[in-house]
Structure formats: structure tokens, C-alpha cells
Amino acid sequence: MGPTASGKTPLAERLATHYDAELVNADAFQVYRGLDIGTAKPIDRERYQLLDILNPDQGFGVGEWVRLASTVLQDAFTRSRNVIVVGGTGLYIRALFEGYAEMAEPPDPALRAELERREAAEGLPSLALDLWSLAPEIAARTDLKNPARVRRALERLASPPSRLSFEMPAFRRRKIAIIPDKDLLERRISARIYEMVHNGWVREVQGLRDAGYLPEHPGFRAIGYRSIWETMGGETDLDQAAATTIVETRRYAKRQRTWLRSEPELNVLSLGLDGSSFDATFDQARAIFESEV
């Protein structure tokens, strides 16, 4: 675990090589095909499970991820394979490792299709009015200008939470996190965003646009994608989009650090202020994984 740009991916991959382990993605946006540069997707994708499994217009959440991940873990356990779960979406990992039981079932595809049909025919205000009528307390805390959130709220009302049945296989489990010094992390975030722009992030978003995807689709909730989209319509320039994305990413990293402070049984790895201690960090992680307590 760890905030964005902390170095999770190279550490996870090195540990996976050392332990002959399978890698399981626990990043909420790396599940989407085509969102590669802006999500800092790993280069060697063939090593990962639960990567590139959805199109950007498909909804996805913690319940769906836990179901898929638990299947992957059970399969690996039966084959006596080690597994490294890696990602910055803390809720996914906590739900899996701490055994959350109450989660909503995946939405009914027919209901989702009907809501999408109504939105196209009647407009979003019609769905928002339904939400106010059915559950004003939920409507009051829902962004009623966000079609995906309005539809999801209606889906949840129509599909009451049911018990999510899964049991974590009897792996010997350890949780580790890289949490760099704040100043170092902010420098890394800035450098990463500018590198993404340099490496073709605008072309990536243009390709998604050409494929028919829209900024209101679930995948575009990933930080930066809507800002990059706006450069294409002249609403902002690329420098401003990059600056906005840096600010949003730093805020997200702050929320991740706050989340990690409450993570049960978490082992935090030290990292030198200059970021040069990767070998030492790997040795710390290995010692934790091999500990008996």
C-alpha cells in the first residue's frame, strides 16, 4: 500500500519476483482499458491480475473487486502460489483483508440499461426527481448533476445490500506501506504529472474521445482525465491542466496518508528523504514478510 507516486509498483514487482508471487491490482482506475498513462499503469501488464478488465463506461466498485480478488486468491492458494496485492485504493484492500461482509450486490444489468435509456430520453432531472421521491435523505447527499452517481443511488435503492459471502484463504498475511516524506512525495507527484503529459497523455485522452467515451463515464473520475479533456475544447491550456492535476493529486495523496494511519496491522516502511534507499526498503519488506509474528 501507499499514496500515489510512493513507489509501490517497483517494490511490489521486485517482491513478486523474489517470492515467485502473482500480482493483483488494487487500484480502482487501473481496472479500465485505455486509461494507461494517466493512471500510471504498470508496463509489464501480463504479470497482473485484475488489470484492464473493464471499458471506461462501465461501473465498478468495492463489492465487485472483492468478488474478483477473492476468486484470484483462492485459485492461487490451491496452487500454493504467493500473492502480492498492490494498489492505492485503500478501501479495496481493507474490505478484502478485514473481511467486510455487508456490501451491495452488482447492479442488475437490466435496471442499469433502463436507467440509461430514461436518462437519454427524459434527461437527468427526471432521474434526480425519482431519487428525491424515493429517498430524500440520499438525494440530499448525492451530486445530482453527476449522472453516474444518480443512477448508482437508484440502483442501490432497487437492490438492497445482501451478504457478500467470501472467505479469505488461509494465507500467512502481511500488510506493508511506503509512506515517503511529504516534500519528497510532492516532488515525485509533480515530476510524474509532467512526465505523463510528455509521454502522450493528451493523445491517450483523444483516443478515448475518438472511441466514443465521454467525461461523465466512470473511468473519467480518475484524476486528471477531465482536465486533459478540457484542453481539447479550448476550455483550458495544457499547462493549467497539468497544474490542476498536480494540486488534485497532492490532495488525493494526503487523503491516502490519512487513511493509512488507521489501517489495521500495517507495517510502514521507512524511505530516505532523497528516495535513494530502494534496496533498503526492499530488505525491510522482505524481513516483514518472513517474520513469524
Side-chain angles (χ1 to χ4, degrees):
M1 305 179 74
T4 186
S6 61
K8 297 184 298 295
T9 296
L11 178 60
E13 291 182 351
R14 185 167 172 183
L15 288 166
T17 298
H18 181 79
Y19 290 111
D20 187 28
E22 298 186 14
L23 286 157
V24 176
N25 167 55
D27 182 288
F29 292 105
Q30 290 184 358
V31 300
Y32 288 109
R33 304 181 190 99
L35 274 68
D36 303 332
I37 295 173
T39 65
K41 199 171 287 180
I43 295 174
D44 192 359
R45 300 179 203 170
E46 297 301 317
R47 299 185 68 181
Y48 288 80
Q49 301 270 13
L50 308 189
L51 200 73
D52 291 333
I53 59 174
L54 298 167
N55 292 324
D57 59 349
Q58 294 178 274
F60 193 69
V62 60
E64 293 96 329
W65 184 85
V66 168
R67 289 180 184 85
L68 294 174
S70 60
T71 300
V72 170
L73 292 181
Q74 185 61 60
D75 177 66
F77 189 77
T78 60
R79 293 183 287 110
S80 299
R81 288 295 304 277
N82 294 317
V83 177
I84 305 291
V85 179
V86 54
T89 305
L91 178 60
Y92 283 14
I93 293 177
R94 190 175 296 180
L96 179 67
F97 277 76
E98 303 308 317
Y100 283 9
E102 293 294 336
M103 296 184 189
E105 290 290 334
D108 178 1
L111 173 61
R112 173 162 289 184
E114 173 60 16
L115 290 173
E116 290 175 346
R117 183 200 66 75
R118 283 191 54 204
E119 182 189 338
E122 305 170 19
L124 180 59
S126 177
L127 298 186
L129 183 60
D130 277 3
L131 186 58
W132 273 112
S133 299
L134 292 168
E137 71 285 356
I138 294 176
R141 60 176 184 264
T142 300
D143 180 359
L144 298 179
K145 295 181 180 180
N146 186 313
R149 294 186 179 179
V150 173
R151 290 196 307 268
R152 187 63 177 138
L154 289 168
E155 288 167 1
R156 286 172 175 160
L157 287 172
S159 306
S162 60
R163 185 161 292 278
L164 176 64
S165 299
F166 77 92
E167 184 174 348
M168 172 76 82
F171 285 105
R172 187 169 59 86
R173 290 175 274 171
R174 298 288 184 272
K175 271 194 266 185
I176 61 173
I178 305 176
I179 307 180
D181 170 80
K182 179 176 178 289
D183 291 338
L184 171 61
L185 185 62
E186 290 192 347
R187 292 197 300 272
R188 285 184 169 186
I189 288 170
S190 296
R192 171 184 275 189
I193 299 304
Y194 286 120
E195 182 179 4
M196 288 173 172
V197 172
H198 177 75
N199 288 343
W201 197 1
V202 175
R203 289 194 302 275
E204 176 173 285
V205 175
Q206 182 65 58
L208 292 167
R209 183 175 182 173
D210 292 345
Y213 297 113
L214 301 171
E216 57 264 28
H217 284 150
F220 276 82
R221 295 199 303 268
I223 292 174
Y225 276 86
R226 288 174 179 170
S227 294
I228 296 295
W229 181 288
E230 289 172 358
T231 67
M232 299 173 187
E235 299 170 57
T236 185
D237 60 33
L238 193 54
D239 287 341
Q240 182 58 50
T244 299
T245 302
I246 289 170
V247 171
E248 291 177 350
T249 306
R250 287 176 172 174
R251 289 173 179 165
Y252 177 55
K254 182 179 180 180
R255 293 195 298 272
Q256 288 175 305
R257 292 196 302 269
T258 300
W259 176 277
L260 290 168
R261 284 199 290 269
S262 65
E263 185 66 28
E265 299 180 0
L266 184 66
N267 298 278
V268 178
L269 307 178
S270 61
L271 188 68
L273 294 180
D274 59 358
S276 62
S277 58
F278 183 74
D279 287 344
T281 304
F282 169 74
D283 289 340
Q284 289 179 57
R286 189 177 62 176
I288 292 166
F289 279 1
E290 295 173 6
S291 65
E292 295 300 324
V293 292

